């Protein structure tokens, strides 16, 4: 038996209601393989392959409302039928002793009419566009904002009560609808949802509070990307904005806050994490009930170093989980990690290729052996 590595990554951690056996989490990864917007048994196979006893997976972004979607074959979660589709995945993960959270998503202006009900215009905080050739979104009215807040709560309730997820993660990162309210280059409103930081953060906190009325805080998490500037986001004072948001999140006893490293696509393994901009925000998070997950460019070595330095409590991995269903074991025992695709042709959509057909290390080695016989 090889010697286990990275003692901090493989030490237990209580997160909300869950007793995790290790600290490597599968980050949310959209894979666009749910035709008719319903999670299916193939998705369940993919999640089960990546589940470990006492390990947490976060689902791909799952939409909370018919206006929330922006991509083909993304699983939804706002009807009982959607939740029953997801139940296949949660059951499969639970059979392996794992945990799974649902990531609640609305893409806002990053959608297009072809993904909207009746081919109507996509919605956002204001009439802006993230892409030069795309028509600006339609600004949501106040009653529509209130209805969307309720849509998040409805989705959270279905996630926990019908789909049997262990909790929900609010997607407030990477330029999607909630960030379109937070960042002042996208939010041009002059009512109570625009202008001051407090007003721009109102949508986010109304969502948090609506969800907390139907799901306990120990099952509610959030993903934030301070200073990330992805998909057209830019704020005139990101330090003030994200300090306000993170500080206020201390009030809710959430199970965890997931922070993504700025410019995640370009992080290379190596020292930059030690000088990450996130280090400035870490001291703001003071609620002992709320654990801190860090995601973006991590490896076993970098993750262990981050935990040792007190930068976070646990680590999310994205792309490595795509190509290595057994990434947790590979990190634990120092086995070679299969490199993820740089271009990612099979990331979004397709069949089992590049999805559920990646071998574990043992399967890969047996195949090599059998090929020689
Ligand atoms: C194919 C793909 C799909 C993704 N889908 C989502 C998503 O649905 N929700 C989300 O918050 N982040 C999503 N991300 C970002 C990842 O969760 C993660 O933050 C990113 O891959 C950086 O981590 P890594 O360096 O370990 O891959 C996606 C990334 C990739 C590569």
């Amino acid at each position: 038996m090889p010697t286990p590595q990275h003692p901090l990554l493989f030490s237990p951690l209580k997160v909300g209601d869950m007793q995790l056996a290790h600290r490597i989490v599968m980050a949310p990864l959209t894979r666009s393989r749910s035709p008719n917007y319903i999670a299916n048994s193939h998705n369940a196979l993919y999640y089960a392959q990546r589940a470990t006893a006492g390990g947490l997976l976060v689902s791909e972004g799952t939409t909370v409302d018919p206006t929330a979607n922006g991509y083909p074959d993304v699983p939804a979660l706002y009807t009982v039928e959607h939740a029953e589709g997801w139940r296949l995945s949660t059951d499969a993960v639970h059979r392996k002793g794992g945990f799974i959270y649902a990531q609640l998503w609305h893409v806002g202006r990053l959608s297009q009419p072809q993904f909207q009900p009746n081919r109507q215009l996509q919605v956002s905080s204001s009439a802006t566009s993230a892409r030069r050739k795309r028509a600006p979104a339609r600004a949501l009215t106040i009653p529509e904002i209130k209805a969307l807040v309720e849509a998040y709560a409805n989705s959270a309730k279905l996630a926990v009560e019908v789909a049997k997820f262990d909790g929900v993660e609010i997607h407030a990162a990477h330029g999607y609808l909630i960030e379109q309210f937070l960042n002042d280059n996208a939010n041009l409103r002059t009512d109570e949802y625009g202008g001051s930081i407090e007003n721009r953060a109102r949508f986010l906190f109304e969502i948090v509070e609506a969800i907390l009325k139907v799901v306990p805080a120990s099952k509610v998490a959030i993903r934030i990307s301070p200073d990330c500037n992805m998909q057209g986001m830019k704020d005139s004072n990101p330090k003030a904005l994200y300090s306000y948001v993170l500080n206020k999140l201390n009030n809710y006893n959430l199970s965890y806050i997931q922070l993504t490293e700025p410019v995640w696509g370009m992080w290379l393994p190596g020292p930059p994490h030690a000088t990450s901009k996130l280090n400035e925000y870490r001291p703001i998070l003071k609620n002992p009930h709320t654990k801190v997950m860090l995601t973006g460019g991590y490896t076993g070595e970098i993750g262990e170093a981050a935990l040792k330095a007190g930068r976070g409590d646990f680590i999310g991995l994205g792309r490595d989980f795509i190509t290595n269903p057994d990434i947790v074991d590979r990190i634990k025992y120092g086995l070679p990690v299969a490199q993820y695709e740089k271009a990612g042709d099979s990331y979004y959509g397709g069949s089992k290729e590049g999805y559920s057909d990646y071998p574990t290390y043992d399967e890969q080695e047996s195949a090599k052996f059998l090929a020689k016989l």
Side-chain angles (χ1 to χ4, degrees):
M1 182 81 164
T3 323
Q5 309 192 356
H6 310 306
L8 295 176
L9 281 172
F10 290 94
S11 59
L13 180 70
K14 184 139 186 348
V15 178
D17 295 340
M18 303 175 292
Q19 185 60 54
L20 301 186
H22 63 79
R23 301 181 183 216
I24 299 173
V25 178
M26 178 171 159
L29 293 161
T30 291
R31 305 304 312 277
S32 293
R33 282 170 172 85
S34 306
N36 304 317
Y37 305 122
I38 299 180
N40 55 47
S41 53
H42 190 202
N43 307 144
L45 168 67
Y46 160 82
Y47 283 109
Q49 287 171 336
R50 286 154 181 80
T52 52
L56 173 63
L57 313 181
V58 184
S59 83
E60 60 210 279
T62 183
T63 51
V64 299
D65 183 77
T67 62
N69 183 43
Y71 308 97
D73 300 334
V74 163
L77 185 43
Y78 48 87
T79 67
V80 170
E81 192 188 9
H82 298 148
E84 282 167 352
W86 271 119
R87 180 80 194 261
L88 301 170
S89 291
T90 61
D91 279 351
V93 169
H94 292 150
R95 278 196 294 274
K96 290 189 75 176
F99 300 103
I100 181 165
Y101 266 42
Q103 193 192 44
L104 305 184
W105 195 25
H106 192 306
V107 308
R109 70 181 191 176
L110 291 164
S111 187
Q112 305 172 64
Q114 72 199 82
F115 298 112
Q116 292 295 307
N118 307 318
R119 296 186 74 88
Q120 66 203 22
L121 212 51
Q122 61 277 11
V123 295
S124 185
S125 54
S126 303
T128 65
S129 175
R131 312 231 192 281
R132 226 179 300 147
K133 288 193 179 146
R134 201 171 282 178
R138 182 177 64 77
L140 288 159
T141 63
I142 290 187
E144 285 174 329
I145 293 174
K146 304 272 181 216
L148 275 183
V149 168
E150 288 315 311
Y152 275 90
N154 167 61
S155 194
K157 194 168 156 63
L158 285 171
V160 171
E161 291 181 7
V162 182
K164 302 290 177 195
F165 279 99
D166 297 285
V168 295
E169 180 186 280
I170 302 164
H171 191 347
H174 297 172
Y176 294 107
L177 183 61
I178 295 176
E179 273 216 334
Q180 293 160 28
F181 273 85
L182 290 174
N183 283 247
D184 62 10
N185 77 332
N187 184 343
L188 313 175
R189 300 181 75 94
T190 51
D191 58 16
E192 68 260 39
Y193 290 96
S196 66
I197 289 176
E198 191 186 347
N199 281 356
R200 283 182 275 131
R202 189 178 308 282
F203 180 53
L204 165 58
F205 286 102
E206 285 185 355
I207 291 169
V208 170
E209 287 174 18
I211 291 178
L212 290 180
K213 287 198 184 116
V214 290
V215 175
S218 57
K219 292 182 181 299
V220 179
I222 190 161
R223 184 175 228 211
I224 309 263
S225 51
D227 267 328
C228 193
N229 297 338
M230 265 180 81
Q231 312 205 88
M233 284 295 105
K234 192 122 190 98
D235 192 74
S236 57
N237 191 349
K239 190 79 201 289
L241 170 66
Y242 286 101
S243 299
Y244 172 85
V245 168
L246 296 177
N247 192 37
K248 194 163 156 92
L249 286 171
N250 282 325
N251 298 338
Y252 296 96
N253 294 341
L254 300 182
S255 65
Y256 68 82
I257 295 178
Q258 179 175 186
L259 299 176
T260 65
E261 298 284 353
V263 217
W264 59 264
M266 289 172 227
W267 278 112
L268 295 170
H273 288 76
T275 55
S276 167
K277 278 198 261 182
L278 288 188
N279 295 342
E280 295 171 30
Y281 295 101
R282 178 66 187 88
I284 298 173
L285 296 171
K286 294 201 175 84
N287 187 322
H289 297 284
T290 306
K291 300 298 189 302
V292 177
M293 189 198 305
L294 302 172
T295 301
Y298 283 91
T299 61
E301 284 70 29
I302 301 172
E304 184 76 9
L307 299 192
K308 201 167 179 187
R311 296 189 58 231
D313 299 304
F314 57 150
I315 301 298
L317 296 183
R319 290 164 289 183
D320 281 342
F321 259 101
I322 293 178
T323 37
N324 301 271
D326 58 340
I327 185 66
V328 175
D329 263 2
R330 291 188 194 224
I331 290 178
K332 183 167 184 178
Y333 295 111
L335 302 170
V337 172
Q339 185 57 45
Y340 50 76
E341 300 168 57
K342 288 276 186 265
D345 283 345
S346 64
Y347 279 177
Y348 304 106
S351 58
K352 68 179 178 8
E353 282 78 34
Y355 184 61
S356 57
D357 66 344
Y358 288 107
T360 62
Y361 179 78
D362 290 340
E363 286 164 353
Q364 166 197 311
E365 292 307 296
S366 325
K368 277 193 214 155
F369 179 80
L370 291 171
K372 284 195 219 129
L373 293 182

